[in-house]
Amino acid sequence: MPLARSAAAATIPASILDAVLHVLDEHGDTTPIQRVQRVKGGYESTSVRLTTRRRHYFLKWAPAGAQGGFQAEAAHLSLLAATGAVAVPAVLRAVDPPERAADAGRQTPAGDALGFLLMEWLTPPSREVFQHRVGRELGTAVARMHAAQAIGEVPIGGYGPAAAIHDATAWRADWVAHYRDGLLRPQIDLAVREDRLSAASCTRLERLLDRLDAWLGGVARQPALIHGDLHRANVLCNAAGALVLIDPHPFFADRELELAYMDWVGGFPPAFYLTYEATYPSAPERQERRDLYLLYWRLQRLNWADSLWSQQAAPIEAVVRLYVGTAT
C-alpha cells in the first residue's frame, strides 16, 4: 500500500504505521489513507482522525508510562457494553507498548516504544440531538446500566474496582465501609502527603468519616457498574447515529456516587433525569446525600496537579463544616 504509507508517514510514527495498516486490512479496508488530521483528546496521547477512501477512524498513540493503558481502556469499554444497556465505540485494536523495546540489538528506554488505540470515528451530537435524544434515550440506557446485576454472565458481587469482576476476592459487601476506606480515605491520604489540605481540615474529615454510616447507612441500594466520568463531552454519536459513551473509568459503587458527579459537572438536560428516574427510581432523599458523595470527586480533583482544581479545598471544607462543625 505505497499510497497509504506515504500519506500517513508524516504524522503517524513509523513504529506503529505498519501495525495500523495491518489492522485496517484485517477489517476489510484496504483503501489508501487520504488524510491524517490532528484532533483534541487523549490527554497524554497524540490523537488523529485517519481518513481512508472508505471511512474515518480515530487513532491515538502514546509512549510507555503514559496515563492509563490502551488495553485497559478497551476492556473498560467492553465492561460497559457487557451490561447490555449502553453503546460504546467499536475498537479495532488496542496495543500497549512493551516495557522495553529492542532496537538494533540494544535495549531502549520504555518511553521510546509506542502503543496505540484504533477505533471507529465518532462525532459530537448536535444541540438538538443532545437536548432530545440524550434525555429520551440515554437516561433510560444509563439507568439500565446502573440496574444491571451482571456483566455478561458474571454476577456483580459487591463494590470495588473494575477488576473485581475477574477476582471475587476484591468484592466488598458493605458500601459505606468501602466508600470510607476504599475511596475517600486514599484521596485524603494523598492530599495530606501533597500538602493540599490543612491539618484542621484533615481532623474534621476524620470526624466525618467516623460518622459516615449515620448519614449514608440504612439506604436501599445495590452495587452498580458506574462509568466514572460521565459528562456531556463523553457522549458522542457513531456513523449510524447511535449515542455512545467514551472514556470510562468504571468501578462498582452506589449509583448515587455517579449521579452526584453528573449533577455537578455532567451538563445533562432535565429530560435525562426524568427518563432515568422513570426507569430506575433513586432512593428517597438522594439530594440530601449528594454533598457527601461529591466529597470523593472534589478530593479527586484536588489531588490533580492542574491548579484549576486547587480551588476544591474551600468547598470540601464547607461540606465538612456543615456536617461536623468547626471544632477540631
Side-chain angles (χ1 to χ4, degrees):
M1 297 176 64
L3 180 58
R5 184 181 300 275
S6 62
T11 304
I12 301 175
S15 60
I16 64 169
L17 178 57
D18 284 342
V20 169
L21 295 174
H22 181 68
V23 173
L24 293 176
D25 184 74
E26 285 183 333
H27 286 80
D29 190 349
T30 58
T31 62
I33 294 176
Q34 296 183 317
R35 189 179 184 192
V36 179
Q37 180 182 8
R38 288 287 296 269
V39 295
K40 294 180 179 180
Y43 298 101
E44 295 178 343
S45 305
T46 301
S47 301
V48 301
R49 182 174 72 168
L50 187 158
T51 302
T52 69
R53 285 184 180 173
R54 179 171 293 182
R55 60 175 59 94
H56 302 297
Y57 302 90
F58 175 80
L59 171 67
K60 64 179 177 179
W61 62 86
Q67 186 178 43
F70 295 129
Q71 291 179 345
E73 182 174 348
H76 290 164
L77 289 168
S78 296
L79 198 67
L80 266 60
T83 65
V86 296
V88 301
V91 175
L92 280 67
R93 188 65 50 84
V95 178
D96 285 334
E99 292 185 4
R100 299 186 68 84
D103 180 13
R106 65 181 179 85
Q107 294 294 311
T108 61
D112 291 349
L114 296 174
F116 69 90
L117 178 72
L118 179 65
M119 66 183 192
E120 66 175 323
W121 178 254
L122 306 169
T123 57
S126 67
R127 182 174 181 178
E128 180 180 359
V129 166
F130 192 85
Q131 290 296 325
H132 297 287
R133 289 184 52 207
V134 165
R136 186 174 68 248
E137 300 173 20
L138 196 64
T140 299
V142 172
R144 289 175 175 168
M145 179 181 75
H146 286 168
Q149 299 183 40
I151 304 299
E153 297 182 355
V154 182
I156 297 174
Y159 306 98
I165 202 69
H166 305 297
D167 178 10
T169 64
W171 292 123
R172 297 294 177 262
D174 186 330
W175 163 246
V176 178
H178 177 63
Y179 183 51
R180 180 186 63 235
D181 300 326
L183 295 176
L184 287 175
R185 186 157 274 131
Q187 293 294 332
I188 294 170
D189 291 346
L190 177 58
V192 170
R193 290 196 301 272
E194 298 295 330
D195 197 26
R196 292 183 173 130
L197 283 174
S198 68
S201 292
C202 292
T203 299
R204 284 190 283 269
L205 272 167
E206 284 298 327
R207 290 173 55 205
L208 184 146
L209 296 187
D210 289 342
R211 299 168 58 187
L212 202 59
D213 194 64
W215 298 303
L216 297 183
V219 178
R221 57 170 62 95
Q222 71 177 42
L225 176 67
I226 69 173
H227 178 283
D229 192 17
L230 192 49
H231 54 79
R232 67 180 298 165
N234 280 342
V235 180
L236 300 176
C237 291
N238 63 18
L243 296 171
V244 299
L245 302 184
I246 66 166
D247 198 22
H249 300 273
F251 54 100
F252 297 94
D254 185 328
R255 61 186 172 129
E256 289 190 12
L257 183 63
E258 178 135 277
L259 291 172
Y261 179 78
M262 294 170 66
D263 289 345
W264 183 35
V265 300
F268 292 99
F272 173 92
Y273 295 97
L274 290 174
T275 56
Y276 180 99
E277 293 295 333
T279 305
Y280 187 21
S282 298
E285 301 179 340
R286 176 180 82 82
Q287 295 297 330
E288 300 298 318
R289 297 181 289 273
R290 183 176 65 177
D291 283 344
L292 289 169
Y293 285 126
L294 281 180
L295 273 179
Y296 170 71
W297 302 112
R298 290 187 183 279
L299 283 163
Q300 186 187 73
R301 296 305 189 271
L302 178 69
N303 286 322
W304 285 5
D306 192 334
S307 61
L308 174 66
W309 293 107
S310 64
Q311 301 172 7
Q312 293 305 310
I316 289 170
E317 177 66 14
V319 171
V320 173
R321 286 171 181 262
L322 176 65
Y323 279 90
V324 301
T326 59
T328 57

